[in-house]
Protein backbone atom coordinates (compact mmCIF):
# COMPACT_ATOMS: atom_id res chain seq x y z
CA UNK A 1 0.00 0.00 0.00
CA UNK A 2 2.93 2.31 0.69
CA UNK A 3 4.04 1.91 -2.93
CA UNK A 4 0.60 2.98 -4.15
CA UNK A 5 0.68 6.07 -1.94
CA UNK A 6 4.20 6.88 -3.13
CA UNK A 7 3.15 6.75 -6.80
CA UNK A 8 -0.03 8.79 -6.18
CA UNK A 9 1.88 11.46 -4.28
CA UNK A 10 4.54 11.57 -6.98
CA UNK A 11 1.93 11.77 -9.73
CA UNK A 12 0.11 14.72 -8.15
CA UNK A 13 3.37 16.52 -7.42
CA UNK A 14 4.61 15.99 -10.99
CA UNK A 15 1.22 17.08 -12.33
CA UNK A 16 1.36 20.47 -10.62
CA UNK A 17 5.00 20.88 -11.58
CA UNK A 18 4.15 20.14 -15.21
CA UNK A 19 1.29 22.65 -15.26
CA UNK A 20 3.41 25.37 -13.65
CA UNK A 21 6.32 24.69 -16.01
CA UNK A 22 4.44 26.18 -18.95
CA UNK A 23 3.82 22.88 -20.74
CA UNK A 24 0.35 22.89 -22.39
CA UNK A 25 -2.11 21.91 -19.67
CA UNK A 26 -3.70 19.11 -21.70
CA UNK A 27 -0.30 17.43 -22.20
CA UNK A 28 0.59 17.75 -18.52
CA UNK A 29 -2.73 16.32 -17.30
CA UNK A 30 -2.55 13.37 -19.73
CA UNK A 31 1.22 12.81 -19.90
CA UNK A 32 2.01 12.66 -16.18
CA UNK A 33 -0.60 9.96 -15.36
CA UNK A 34 0.41 7.93 -18.41
CA UNK A 35 4.09 8.02 -17.44
CA UNK A 36 3.20 7.20 -13.82
CA UNK A 37 1.07 4.24 -14.96
CA UNK A 38 3.92 2.88 -17.08
CA UNK A 39 6.41 3.20 -14.21
CA UNK A 40 3.89 1.62 -11.85
CA UNK A 41 3.36 -1.33 -14.18
CA UNK A 42 7.12 -1.97 -14.30
CA UNK A 43 7.20 -2.25 -10.50
CA UNK A 44 4.02 -4.33 -10.33
CA UNK A 45 2.11 -1.54 -8.55
CA UNK A 46 -0.28 -0.69 -11.39
CA UNK A 47 -2.32 -3.01 -13.61
CA UNK A 48 -1.69 -1.71 -17.14
CA UNK A 49 -4.99 -3.32 -18.17
CA UNK A 50 -6.75 -0.29 -16.67
CA UNK A 51 -5.67 1.75 -19.68
CA UNK A 52 -7.77 -0.34 -22.06
CA UNK A 53 -10.84 1.49 -20.69
CA UNK A 54 -9.47 4.86 -21.84
CA UNK A 55 -10.76 4.70 -25.47
CA UNK A 56 -14.26 4.00 -24.17
CA UNK A 57 -13.97 7.01 -21.85
CA UNK A 58 -12.88 9.24 -24.75
CA UNK A 59 -15.78 8.00 -26.86
CA UNK A 60 -18.13 8.68 -23.95
CA UNK A 61 -16.88 12.26 -23.68
CA UNK A 62 -17.13 12.99 -27.40
CA UNK A 63 -20.59 11.40 -27.71
CA UNK A 64 -21.98 13.11 -24.60
CA UNK A 65 -24.92 15.22 -25.84
CA UNK A 66 -24.64 17.51 -22.81
CA UNK A 67 -21.09 18.57 -23.67
CA UNK A 68 -22.29 19.57 -27.14
CA UNK A 69 -23.68 22.65 -25.37
CA UNK A 70 -20.13 23.92 -24.69
CA UNK A 71 -19.16 24.99 -28.25
CA UNK A 72 -22.69 26.34 -28.81
CA UNK A 73 -22.54 28.57 -25.72
CA UNK A 74 -19.01 29.63 -26.70
CA UNK A 75 -20.21 30.58 -30.20
CA UNK A 76 -23.09 32.53 -28.66
CA UNK A 77 -20.73 34.52 -26.46
CA UNK A 78 -18.16 35.18 -29.18
CA UNK A 79 -20.81 36.40 -31.64
CA UNK A 80 -22.27 38.80 -29.07
CA UNK A 81 -18.83 40.11 -28.19
CA UNK A 82 -17.85 40.67 -31.82
CA UNK A 83 -21.18 42.33 -32.69
CA UNK A 84 -20.14 45.25 -30.40
CA UNK A 85 -23.48 45.18 -28.64
CA UNK A 86 -21.77 45.51 -25.26
CA UNK A 87 -20.05 48.76 -26.19
CA UNK A 88 -23.38 50.32 -27.13
CA UNK A 89 -24.99 49.18 -23.89
CA UNK A 90 -22.25 50.62 -21.69
CA UNK A 91 -22.20 53.92 -23.58
CA UNK A 92 -25.98 54.27 -23.10
CA UNK A 93 -25.69 53.42 -19.39
CA UNK A 94 -22.97 56.00 -18.88
CA UNK A 95 -25.10 58.73 -20.47
CA UNK A 96 -28.13 57.75 -18.40
CA UNK A 97 -26.26 57.99 -15.07
CA UNK A 98 -24.66 61.34 -15.78
CA UNK A 99 -21.06 60.31 -15.10
CA UNK A 100 -20.89 60.46 -11.27
CA UNK A 101 -18.26 58.16 -9.77
CA UNK A 102 -20.77 56.03 -7.84
CA UNK A 103 -23.23 55.94 -10.74
CA UNK A 104 -20.54 55.06 -13.26
CA UNK A 105 -19.16 52.22 -11.10
CA UNK A 106 -22.63 50.79 -10.46
CA UNK A 107 -23.49 51.07 -14.16
CA UNK A 108 -20.40 49.03 -15.05
CA UNK A 109 -21.47 46.39 -12.50
CA UNK A 110 -25.06 46.30 -13.83
CA UNK A 111 -23.83 46.11 -17.41
CA UNK A 112 -21.41 43.31 -16.52
CA UNK A 113 -24.17 41.27 -14.88
CA UNK A 114 -26.26 41.52 -18.05
CA UNK A 115 -23.43 40.78 -20.44
CA UNK A 116 -22.21 37.93 -18.18
CA UNK A 117 -25.49 36.12 -18.73
CA UNK A 118 -25.09 36.72 -22.48
CA UNK A 119 -21.45 35.79 -23.10
CA UNK A 120 -19.79 34.14 -20.11
CA UNK A 121 -16.30 34.43 -21.67
CA UNK A 122 -13.99 35.96 -19.06
CA UNK A 123 -11.17 37.05 -21.35
CA UNK A 124 -13.35 38.88 -23.86
CA UNK A 125 -15.44 40.52 -21.11
CA UNK A 126 -12.45 41.80 -19.10
CA UNK A 127 -10.63 43.15 -22.16
CA UNK A 128 -13.81 44.87 -23.35
CA UNK A 129 -14.41 46.42 -19.91
CA UNK A 130 -10.82 47.71 -19.74
CA UNK A 131 -11.08 49.37 -23.15
CA UNK A 132 -14.56 50.81 -22.67
CA UNK A 133 -15.25 51.38 -18.98
CA UNK A 134 -11.82 51.96 -17.37
CA UNK A 135 -11.28 55.42 -18.95
CA UNK A 136 -14.88 56.40 -18.11
CA UNK A 137 -14.54 55.34 -14.46
CA UNK A 138 -11.18 57.07 -14.02
CA UNK A 139 -12.62 60.25 -15.56
CA UNK A 140 -15.57 60.02 -13.16
CA UNK A 141 -13.24 59.96 -10.16
CA UNK A 142 -13.27 56.25 -9.33
CA UNK A 143 -9.93 55.34 -7.66
CA UNK A 144 -7.80 53.25 -9.98
CA UNK A 145 -7.56 50.29 -7.59
CA UNK A 146 -11.32 50.20 -7.11
CA UNK A 147 -11.88 50.51 -10.87
CA UNK A 148 -9.45 47.62 -11.37
CA UNK A 149 -11.29 45.44 -8.86
CA UNK A 150 -14.70 46.24 -10.34
CA UNK A 151 -13.60 45.31 -13.85
CA UNK A 152 -11.83 42.07 -12.88
CA UNK A 153 -14.60 40.90 -10.53
CA UNK A 154 -17.45 41.94 -12.83
CA UNK A 155 -15.75 40.24 -15.76
CA UNK A 156 -15.94 36.89 -13.97
CA UNK A 157 -19.68 37.04 -13.17
CA UNK A 158 -20.36 34.94 -16.26
CA UNK A 159 -18.97 31.92 -14.40
CA UNK A 160 -21.75 31.94 -11.77
CA UNK A 161 -24.65 33.67 -13.56
CA UNK A 162 -26.32 31.20 -15.95
CA UNK A 163 -26.14 30.25 -18.72
CA UNK A 164 -22.50 29.49 -17.96
CA UNK A 165 -20.00 27.15 -19.59
CA UNK A 166 -18.54 26.49 -16.14
CA UNK A 167 -21.95 25.30 -14.90
CA UNK A 168 -22.35 23.04 -17.95
CA UNK A 169 -19.03 21.33 -17.19
CA UNK A 170 -19.83 21.15 -13.48
CA UNK A 171 -23.25 19.71 -14.25
CA UNK A 172 -21.69 16.95 -16.33
CA UNK A 173 -19.18 16.00 -13.62
CA UNK A 174 -21.54 16.42 -10.65
CA UNK A 175 -24.23 14.37 -12.38
CA UNK A 176 -21.92 11.46 -13.24
CA UNK A 177 -20.07 11.45 -9.91
CA UNK A 178 -23.30 11.75 -7.89
CA UNK A 179 -24.83 8.77 -9.70
CA UNK A 180 -21.77 6.58 -9.05
CA UNK A 181 -21.37 7.71 -5.44
CA UNK A 182 -25.03 7.11 -4.60
CA UNK A 183 -24.97 3.64 -6.15
CA UNK A 184 -21.86 2.76 -4.14
CA UNK A 185 -23.68 4.00 -1.02
CA UNK A 186 -26.58 1.62 -1.75
CA UNK A 187 -29.02 4.02 -3.42
CA UNK A 188 -29.61 2.50 -6.85
CA UNK A 189 -32.31 4.97 -7.95
CA UNK A 190 -31.02 8.47 -7.13
CA UNK A 191 -32.71 11.51 -8.65
CA UNK A 192 -30.54 12.66 -11.57
CA UNK A 193 -28.77 16.02 -11.40
CA UNK A 194 -29.00 18.10 -14.58
CA UNK A 195 -27.36 21.27 -15.80
CA UNK A 196 -30.80 22.87 -15.59
CA UNK A 197 -30.76 22.19 -11.84
CA UNK A 198 -27.42 23.98 -11.52
CA UNK A 199 -28.61 26.87 -13.71
CA UNK A 200 -31.62 27.36 -11.45
CA UNK A 201 -29.55 26.84 -8.31
CA UNK A 202 -26.86 29.35 -9.29
CA UNK A 203 -29.24 32.16 -10.26
CA UNK A 204 -29.98 33.50 -6.75
CA UNK A 205 -26.40 33.12 -5.42
CA UNK A 206 -25.15 34.93 -8.53
CA UNK A 207 -27.52 37.81 -7.87
CA UNK A 208 -26.51 37.83 -4.19
CA UNK A 209 -22.88 38.19 -5.27
CA UNK A 210 -23.81 41.11 -7.54
CA UNK A 211 -25.64 42.65 -4.58
CA UNK A 212 -22.57 42.31 -2.35
CA UNK A 213 -20.45 44.03 -5.00
CA UNK A 214 -23.04 46.81 -5.31
CA UNK A 215 -23.19 47.42 -1.55
CA UNK A 216 -19.39 47.60 -1.37
CA UNK A 217 -19.24 50.08 -4.26
CA UNK A 218 -22.06 52.15 -2.78
CA UNK A 219 -20.31 52.39 0.62
CA UNK A 220 -16.83 52.87 -0.79
CA UNK A 221 -17.75 55.66 -3.23
CA UNK A 222 -19.43 58.44 -1.32
CA UNK A 223 -21.10 61.35 -3.17
CA UNK A 224 -18.38 63.76 -1.97
CA UNK A 225 -15.79 61.73 -3.87
CA UNK A 226 -17.18 62.59 -7.30
CA UNK A 227 -15.84 65.17 -9.68
CA UNK A 228 -16.91 66.47 -13.11
CA UNK A 229 -16.49 64.01 -15.92
CA UNK A 230 -14.58 64.71 -19.10
CA UNK A 231 -16.98 62.81 -21.31
CA UNK A 232 -15.51 60.66 -24.06
CA UNK A 233 -18.89 59.97 -25.60
CA UNK A 234 -21.92 61.90 -26.71
CA UNK A 235 -23.78 63.71 -23.91
CA UNK A 236 -27.10 63.58 -25.76
CA UNK A 237 -30.04 62.34 -23.68
CA UNK A 238 -31.04 58.71 -24.03
CA UNK A 239 -34.35 58.15 -25.78
CA UNK A 240 -36.73 55.31 -25.18
CA UNK A 241 -36.09 53.82 -28.61
CA UNK A 242 -32.33 53.83 -28.11
CA UNK A 243 -32.69 52.28 -24.65
CA UNK A 244 -34.96 49.57 -26.00
CA UNK A 245 -32.74 48.74 -28.98
CA UNK A 246 -29.65 48.53 -26.74
CA UNK A 247 -30.98 46.37 -23.91
CA UNK A 248 -33.96 44.45 -25.29
CA UNK A 249 -32.00 42.10 -27.64
CA UNK A 250 -29.60 40.62 -25.03
CA UNK A 251 -32.33 40.43 -22.39
CA UNK A 252 -34.65 38.62 -24.81
CA UNK A 253 -31.84 36.22 -25.73
CA UNK A 254 -31.16 35.47 -22.06
CA UNK A 255 -34.89 34.98 -21.48
CA UNK A 256 -35.12 32.60 -24.43
CA UNK A 257 -32.13 30.48 -23.35
CA UNK A 258 -32.80 30.34 -19.61
CA UNK A 259 -36.57 30.35 -19.96
CA UNK A 260 -36.57 27.42 -22.37
CA UNK A 261 -34.53 25.35 -19.88
CA UNK A 262 -36.45 26.31 -16.75
CA UNK A 263 -39.83 25.93 -18.45
CA UNK A 264 -38.91 22.46 -19.68
CA UNK A 265 -39.23 23.46 -23.34
CA UNK A 266 -35.66 22.51 -24.23
CA UNK A 267 -32.71 20.59 -22.90
CA UNK A 268 -29.48 22.42 -22.09
CA UNK A 269 -27.99 21.49 -25.48
CA UNK A 270 -31.14 22.56 -27.36
CA UNK A 271 -31.18 25.86 -25.45
CA UNK A 272 -27.50 26.39 -26.30
CA UNK A 273 -28.36 25.88 -29.97
CA UNK A 274 -31.17 28.41 -29.62
CA UNK A 275 -28.73 30.86 -28.04
CA UNK A 276 -26.20 30.41 -30.84
CA UNK A 277 -28.87 30.91 -33.50
CA UNK A 278 -30.22 33.96 -31.68
CA UNK A 279 -26.74 35.47 -31.34
CA UNK A 280 -26.12 34.84 -35.04
CA UNK A 281 -29.30 36.68 -36.04
CA UNK A 282 -28.57 39.49 -33.57
CA UNK A 283 -25.07 39.94 -34.99
CA UNK A 284 -26.53 39.92 -38.51
CA UNK A 285 -29.13 42.50 -37.52
CA UNK A 286 -26.42 44.79 -36.13
CA UNK A 287 -24.17 44.37 -39.17
CA UNK A 288 -25.88 47.25 -40.97
CA UNK A 289 -28.37 45.32 -43.06
CA UNK A 290 -31.44 47.34 -43.97
CA UNK A 291 -34.75 47.14 -45.74
CA UNK A 292 -36.03 43.64 -46.41
CA UNK A 293 -33.17 41.99 -44.53
CA UNK A 294 -33.98 43.89 -41.31
CA UNK A 295 -37.65 42.93 -41.58
CA UNK A 296 -36.67 39.30 -42.17
CA UNK A 297 -34.53 39.26 -39.02
CA UNK A 298 -37.39 40.64 -36.94
CA UNK A 299 -39.77 38.06 -38.39
CA UNK A 300 -37.25 35.28 -37.71
CA UNK A 301 -36.91 36.32 -34.06
CA UNK A 302 -40.70 36.49 -33.71
CA UNK A 303 -40.93 33.03 -35.31
CA UNK A 304 -38.42 31.62 -32.81
CA UNK A 305 -40.47 32.87 -29.86
CA UNK A 306 -43.67 31.61 -31.49
CA UNK A 307 -42.13 28.15 -31.88
CA UNK A 308 -41.16 28.20 -28.20
CA UNK A 309 -44.75 29.10 -27.28
CA UNK A 310 -46.09 26.27 -29.44
CA UNK A 311 -43.68 23.83 -27.77
CA UNK A 312 -44.77 25.03 -24.32
CA UNK A 313 -48.54 25.10 -24.75
CA UNK A 314 -49.21 22.38 -27.32
CA UNK A 315 -49.92 18.80 -26.31
CA UNK A 316 -51.34 15.63 -27.77
CA UNK A 317 -54.86 17.07 -27.65
CA UNK A 318 -54.01 20.27 -29.54
CA UNK A 319 -51.82 18.78 -32.27
CA UNK A 320 -53.31 19.04 -35.75
CA UNK A 321 -52.34 19.35 -39.39
CA UNK A 322 -52.97 23.11 -39.30
CA UNK A 323 -50.71 23.49 -36.28
CA UNK A 324 -48.01 21.50 -38.08
CA UNK A 325 -48.21 23.81 -41.09
CA UNK A 326 -47.91 26.87 -38.83
CA UNK A 327 -44.86 25.36 -37.13
CA UNK A 328 -43.28 24.57 -40.52
CA UNK A 329 -43.80 28.15 -41.73
CA UNK A 330 -42.31 29.56 -38.52
CA UNK A 331 -39.31 27.23 -38.81
CA UNK A 332 -38.79 28.28 -42.44
CA UNK A 333 -38.77 31.95 -41.44
CA UNK A 334 -36.18 31.24 -38.74
CA UNK A 335 -33.99 29.26 -41.15
CA UNK A 336 -34.13 32.09 -43.70
CA UNK A 337 -33.08 34.55 -41.02
CA UNK A 338 -30.12 32.36 -40.06
CA UNK A 339 -29.05 31.96 -43.70
CA UNK A 340 -29.19 35.69 -44.41
CA UNK A 341 -27.29 36.46 -41.20
CA UNK A 342 -24.65 33.82 -41.97
CA UNK A 343 -24.06 35.14 -45.49
CA UNK A 344 -23.90 38.71 -44.25
CA UNK A 345 -21.45 37.92 -41.46
CA UNK A 346 -19.34 35.66 -43.68
CA UNK A 347 -18.66 38.37 -46.24
CA UNK A 348 -17.94 40.87 -43.45
CA UNK A 349 -15.33 38.48 -42.01
CA UNK A 350 -16.98 38.37 -38.57
CA UNK A 351 -18.26 34.80 -38.85
CA UNK A 352 -14.84 33.36 -39.72
CA UNK A 353 -13.31 35.04 -36.67
CA UNK A 354 -16.13 33.85 -34.41
CA UNK A 355 -15.83 30.26 -35.65
CA UNK A 356 -12.05 30.31 -35.22
CA UNK A 357 -12.33 31.55 -31.61
CA UNK A 358 -15.03 28.96 -30.90
CA UNK A 359 -12.86 26.12 -32.21
CA UNK A 360 -9.87 27.29 -30.19
CA UNK A 361 -11.75 27.67 -26.90
CA UNK A 362 -13.78 24.48 -27.34
CA UNK A 363 -10.67 22.52 -28.31
CA UNK A 364 -8.95 23.64 -25.12
CA UNK A 365 -11.93 22.62 -22.99
CA UNK A 366 -12.39 19.20 -24.61
CA UNK A 367 -8.65 18.54 -24.53
CA UNK A 368 -8.65 19.07 -20.77
CA UNK A 369 -11.79 16.92 -20.38
CA UNK A 370 -10.23 14.00 -22.27
CA UNK A 371 -6.89 14.34 -20.47
CA UNK A 372 -8.62 14.50 -17.07
CA UNK A 373 -10.48 11.27 -17.81
CA UNK A 374 -7.08 9.54 -18.14
CA UNK A 375 -5.96 11.12 -14.87
CA UNK A 376 -9.07 9.83 -13.07
CA UNK A 377 -8.58 6.35 -14.55
CA UNK A 378 -4.96 6.10 -13.41
CA UNK A 379 -5.88 7.56 -10.01
CA UNK A 380 -8.43 4.79 -9.51
CA UNK A 381 -5.99 2.18 -10.77
CA UNK A 382 -3.60 3.07 -7.96
CA UNK A 383 -6.40 2.79 -5.41
CA UNK A 384 -6.67 6.54 -4.93
CA UNK A 385 -10.46 6.48 -4.60
CA UNK A 386 -10.31 4.23 -1.52
CA UNK A 387 -7.56 6.36 0.00
CA UNK A 388 -9.63 9.52 -0.44
CA UNK A 389 -12.69 7.87 1.14
CA UNK A 390 -10.63 6.75 4.14
CA UNK A 391 -8.99 10.16 4.51
CA UNK A 392 -12.32 11.99 4.32
CA UNK A 393 -13.84 9.62 6.88
CA UNK A 394 -10.97 10.43 9.26
CA UNK A 395 -11.49 14.21 8.99
CA UNK A 396 -12.94 15.68 12.24
CA UNK A 397 -16.50 16.94 11.90
CA UNK A 398 -17.79 14.17 9.69
CA UNK A 399 -19.29 15.18 6.35
CA UNK A 400 -19.08 18.89 7.20
CA UNK A 401 -15.39 18.54 7.91
CA UNK A 402 -14.95 16.77 4.57
CA UNK A 403 -16.89 19.55 2.84
CA UNK A 404 -14.62 22.14 4.43
CA UNK A 405 -11.55 20.24 3.22
CA UNK A 406 -12.87 20.09 -0.36
CA UNK A 407 -13.73 23.81 -0.36
CA UNK A 408 -10.29 24.68 1.04
CA UNK A 409 -8.54 22.50 -1.56
CA UNK A 410 -10.54 24.10 -4.39
CA UNK A 411 -9.76 27.61 -3.13
CA UNK A 412 -6.02 26.89 -2.81
CA UNK A 413 -5.87 25.19 -6.21
CA UNK A 414 -7.42 28.35 -7.66
CA UNK A 415 -4.11 30.13 -7.09
CA UNK A 416 -2.30 27.85 -9.55
CA UNK A 417 -4.90 26.13 -11.76
CA UNK A 418 -7.71 27.18 -14.08
CA UNK A 419 -11.35 26.47 -13.17
CA UNK A 420 -11.85 23.83 -15.90
CA UNK A 421 -8.78 21.94 -14.73
CA UNK A 422 -9.96 22.04 -11.11
CA UNK A 423 -13.41 20.70 -12.05
CA UNK A 424 -12.05 17.64 -13.81
CA UNK A 425 -9.43 16.94 -11.15
CA UNK A 426 -11.28 17.65 -7.89
CA UNK A 427 -14.86 16.52 -8.56
CA UNK A 428 -14.13 12.92 -9.65
CA UNK A 429 -11.29 12.50 -7.12
CA UNK A 430 -12.61 14.27 -3.99
CA UNK A 431 -16.33 14.53 -4.78
CA UNK A 432 -17.56 10.94 -4.09
CA UNK A 433 -17.42 11.14 -0.26
CA UNK A 434 -19.57 14.30 -0.35
CA UNK A 435 -21.92 13.20 -3.13
CA UNK A 436 -22.41 9.78 -1.55
CA UNK A 437 -23.98 11.44 1.51
CA UNK A 438 -27.32 13.19 2.03
CA UNK A 439 -25.94 16.59 1.04
CA UNK A 440 -27.79 18.20 -1.88
CA UNK A 441 -25.71 17.73 -5.06
CA UNK A 442 -27.15 20.98 -6.49
CA UNK A 443 -26.05 22.92 -3.41
CA UNK A 444 -22.61 21.29 -3.55
CA UNK A 445 -22.30 22.11 -7.25
CA UNK A 446 -23.20 25.77 -6.74
CA UNK A 447 -20.77 25.97 -3.81
CA UNK A 448 -18.03 24.70 -6.12
CA UNK A 449 -19.02 27.18 -8.84
CA UNK A 450 -18.83 30.16 -6.48
CA UNK A 451 -15.55 28.89 -5.05
CA UNK A 452 -14.12 28.33 -8.52
CA UNK A 453 -14.94 31.90 -9.47
CA UNK A 454 -12.21 33.08 -7.10
CA UNK A 455 -9.65 31.22 -9.24
CA UNK A 456 -10.00 33.94 -11.89
CA UNK A 457 -9.01 36.64 -9.36
CA UNK A 458 -6.34 35.02 -7.18
CA UNK A 459 -2.69 35.68 -8.08
CA UNK A 460 -0.37 34.63 -9.54
CA UNK A 461 -2.38 32.77 -12.23
CA UNK A 462 -5.80 34.46 -12.08
CA UNK A 463 -6.85 34.74 -15.73
CA UNK A 464 -8.85 37.93 -15.18
CA UNK A 465 -5.66 39.53 -13.83
CA UNK A 466 -3.70 38.42 -16.91
CA UNK A 467 -6.28 39.84 -19.29
CA UNK A 468 -6.47 43.12 -17.36
CA UNK A 469 -2.68 43.49 -17.22
CA UNK A 470 -2.35 42.86 -20.96
CA UNK A 471 -4.79 45.67 -21.80
CA UNK A 472 -4.57 48.25 -18.99
CA UNK A 473 -2.38 51.37 -19.22
CA UNK A 474 1.09 51.26 -17.66
CA UNK A 475 0.27 53.70 -14.84
CA UNK A 476 -1.81 50.92 -13.25
CA UNK A 477 0.80 48.63 -11.73
CA UNK A 478 0.57 44.92 -10.99
CA UNK A 479 0.46 45.83 -7.29
CA UNK A 480 -2.57 48.04 -7.98
CA UNK A 481 -4.28 45.11 -9.69
CA UNK A 482 -3.64 42.72 -6.78
CA UNK A 483 -4.75 45.27 -4.19
CA UNK A 484 -7.80 46.16 -6.26
CA UNK A 485 -9.14 42.62 -6.52
CA UNK A 486 -8.44 41.66 -2.88
CA UNK A 487 -11.72 43.13 -1.46
CA UNK A 488 -13.73 41.38 -4.17
CA UNK A 489 -12.11 38.02 -3.39
CA UNK A 490 -13.16 38.58 0.24
CA UNK A 491 -16.69 39.42 -0.94
CA UNK A 492 -16.75 36.17 -2.91
CA UNK A 493 -15.79 34.31 0.25
CA UNK A 494 -18.55 36.15 2.13
CA UNK A 495 -20.98 35.03 -0.57
CA UNK A 496 -19.67 31.48 -0.20
CA UNK A 497 -20.22 31.69 3.55
CA UNK A 498 -23.81 32.91 3.04
CA UNK A 499 -24.46 30.02 0.68
CA UNK A 500 -23.10 27.53 3.23
CA UNK A 501 -25.20 29.08 6.00
CA UNK A 502 -28.37 29.28 3.86
CA UNK A 503 -28.45 26.26 1.48
CA UNK A 504 -31.93 27.23 0.29
CA UNK A 505 -30.33 30.01 -1.76
CA UNK A 506 -29.25 27.24 -4.13
CA UNK A 507 -32.03 24.69 -3.60
CA UNK A 508 -35.20 26.80 -3.43
CA UNK A 509 -35.51 27.68 -7.13
CA UNK A 510 -34.68 24.18 -8.49
CA UNK A 511 -37.25 22.70 -6.07
CA UNK A 512 -39.81 25.26 -7.20
CA UNK A 513 -39.17 24.87 -10.92
CA UNK A 514 -38.37 21.18 -11.26
CA UNK A 515 -40.01 19.84 -8.10
CA UNK A 516 -36.88 17.97 -6.97
Amino acid sequence: MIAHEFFLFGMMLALFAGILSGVPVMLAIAGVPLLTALLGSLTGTFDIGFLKFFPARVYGVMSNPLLMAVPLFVLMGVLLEKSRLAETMLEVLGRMLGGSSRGMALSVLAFSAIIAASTGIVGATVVMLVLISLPAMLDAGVPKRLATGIICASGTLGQIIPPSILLVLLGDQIGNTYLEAQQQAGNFAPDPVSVGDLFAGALLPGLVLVGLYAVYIFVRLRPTATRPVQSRTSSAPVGGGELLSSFAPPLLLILAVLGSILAGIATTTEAAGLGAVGALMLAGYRSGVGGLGRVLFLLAVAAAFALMALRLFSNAHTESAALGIVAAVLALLMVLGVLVASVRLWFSGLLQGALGDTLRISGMVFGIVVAASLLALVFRGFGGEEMVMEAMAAVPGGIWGALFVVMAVVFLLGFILEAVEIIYIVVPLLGPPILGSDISPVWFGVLLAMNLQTSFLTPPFGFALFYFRSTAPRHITTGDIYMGVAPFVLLQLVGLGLLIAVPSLATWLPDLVFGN
Side-chain angles (χ1 to χ4, degrees):
M1 196 64 177
I2 296 177
H4 288 79
E5 294 173 352
F6 173 78
F7 273 101
L8 281 175
F9 179 77
M11 181 177 71
M12 301 310 294
L13 193 63
L15 175 64
F16 291 131
I19 292 173
L20 297 177
S21 69
V23 173
V25 172
M26 180 185 69
L27 297 180
I29 295 178
V32 169
L34 181 60
L35 182 60
T36 306
L38 294 175
L39 291 175
S41 68
L42 294 177
T43 61
T45 311
F46 181 83
D47 181 5
I48 201 68
F50 265 90
L51 297 183
K52 70 181 180 182
F53 298 108
F54 181 59
R57 282 175 167 251
V58 174
Y59 179 78
V61 168
M62 303 313 294
S63 60
N64 187 343
L66 175 60
L67 292 180
M68 289 172 59
V70 172
L72 292 172
F73 275 132
V74 171
L75 179 60
M76 169 183 161
V78 172
L79 283 171
L80 289 177
E81 185 263 329
K82 290 185 177 295
S83 66
R84 307 180 72 85
L85 175 67
E87 296 182 22
T88 304
M89 290 170 59
L90 188 58
E91 190 267 337
V92 169
L93 268 177
R95 285 161 50 198
M96 286 175 60
L97 295 172
S100 70
S101 58
R102 179 186 282 175
M104 182 59 69
L106 290 173
S107 69
V108 171
L109 177 63
F111 157 78
S112 300
I114 296 173
I115 208 66
S118 304
T119 62
I121 301 175
V122 171
T125 304
V126 171
V127 169
M128 176 181 59
L129 288 175
V130 172
L131 295 176
I132 303 171
S133 67
L134 180 61
M137 282 197 289
L138 295 178
D139 284 346
V142 180
K144 63 180 181 179
R145 288 184 176 178
L146 179 58
T148 296
I150 292 172
I151 289 175
C152 291
S154 299
T156 66
L157 286 173
Q159 306 309 303
I160 188 67
I161 297 179
S164 160
I165 298 171
L166 188 74
L167 292 175
V168 173
L169 299 174
L170 257 177
D172 173 62
Q173 281 297 288
I174 292 287
N176 294 335
T177 307
Y178 175 69
L179 180 62
E180 293 180 9
Q182 285 291 310
Q183 288 177 345
Q184 290 181 2
N187 180 11
F188 297 101
D191 293 328
V193 181
S194 68
V195 173
D197 292 323
L198 287 189
F199 277 8
L203 191 56
L204 284 180
L207 295 177
V208 167
L209 190 59
V210 174
L212 289 173
Y213 290 170
V215 169
Y216 173 72
I217 293 170
F218 189 85
V219 173
R220 175 78 182 275
L221 286 175
R222 301 188 182 279
T224 55
T226 61
R227 60 187 175 87
V229 180
Q230 300 173 0
S231 178
R232 295 169 181 259
T233 60
S234 170
S235 58
V238 178
E242 185 180 11
L243 184 64
L244 186 65
S245 64
S246 299
F247 287 90
L251 291 177
L252 284 174
L253 187 60
I254 295 167
L255 176 64
V257 173
L258 274 182
S260 62
I261 295 174
L262 300 182
I265 301 174
T267 65
T268 302
T269 304
E270 291 168 343
L274 177 64
V277 168
L280 184 68
M281 288 194 290
L282 180 56
Y285 181 82
R286 292 183 57 83
S287 64
V289 67
L292 185 60
R294 186 174 289 261
V295 173
L296 179 59
F297 285 141
L298 294 175
L299 288 175
V301 171
F305 278 96
L307 283 171
M308 289 175 59
L310 284 177
R311 177 76 176 268
L312 179 62
F313 295 110
S314 64
N315 52 50
H317 300 290
T318 60
E319 290 178 359
S320 64
L323 195 62
I325 293 174
V326 171
V329 171
L330 292 174
L332 179 61
L333 278 174
M334 195 170 70
V335 169
L336 287 175
V338 171
L339 288 176
V340 172
S342 300
V343 172
R344 177 81 182 181
L345 296 176
W346 182 267
F347 284 105
S348 68
L350 189 148
L351 186 57
Q352 295 94 315
L355 291 175
D357 288 349
T358 300
L359 286 173
R360 178 176 52 81
I361 296 172
S362 301
M364 178 203 69
V365 171
F366 280 98
I368 293 175
V369 171
V370 170
S373 67
L374 178 59
L375 171 64
L377 184 65
V378 174
F379 187 83
R380 288 186 176 183
F382 277 110
E385 195 172 42
E386 291 79 7
M387 294 181 195
V388 169
M389 297 290 285
E390 293 173 3
M392 289 294 190
V395 171
I399 195 64
W400 287 98
L403 179 65
F404 175 80
V405 168
V406 172
M407 289 296 115
V409 168
V410 169
F411 178 74
L412 293 175
L413 286 178
F415 284 84
I416 56 176
L417 297 181
E418 192 185 355
V420 177
E421 301 157 16
I422 298 174
I423 289 173
Y424 282 90
I425 292 175
V426 170
V427 174
L429 304 188
L430 301 183
I434 307 294
L435 295 172
S437 67
D438 294 331
I439 284 182
S440 166
V442 174
W443 177 60
F444 179 63
V446 178
L447 278 176
L448 282 176
M450 187 167 284
N451 199 343
L452 284 168
Q453 192 181 355
T454 64
S455 68
F456 291 91
L457 297 180
T458 47
F461 297 110
F463 274 75
L465 311 183
F466 281 154
Y467 290 121
F468 187 96
R469 175 70 282 168
S470 66
T471 317
R474 292 296 115 188
H475 68 84
I476 297 181
T477 65
T478 301
D480 291 330
I481 298 174
Y482 288 174
M483 294 297 293
V485 300
F488 290 91
V489 173
L490 293 177
L491 288 173
Q492 288 179 341
L493 294 178
V494 170
L496 189 64
L498 288 174
L499 187 55
I500 292 174
V502 189
S504 57
L505 284 173
T507 59
W508 174 76
L509 190 57
D511 289 344
L512 179 67
V513 174
F514 301 111
N516 292 338

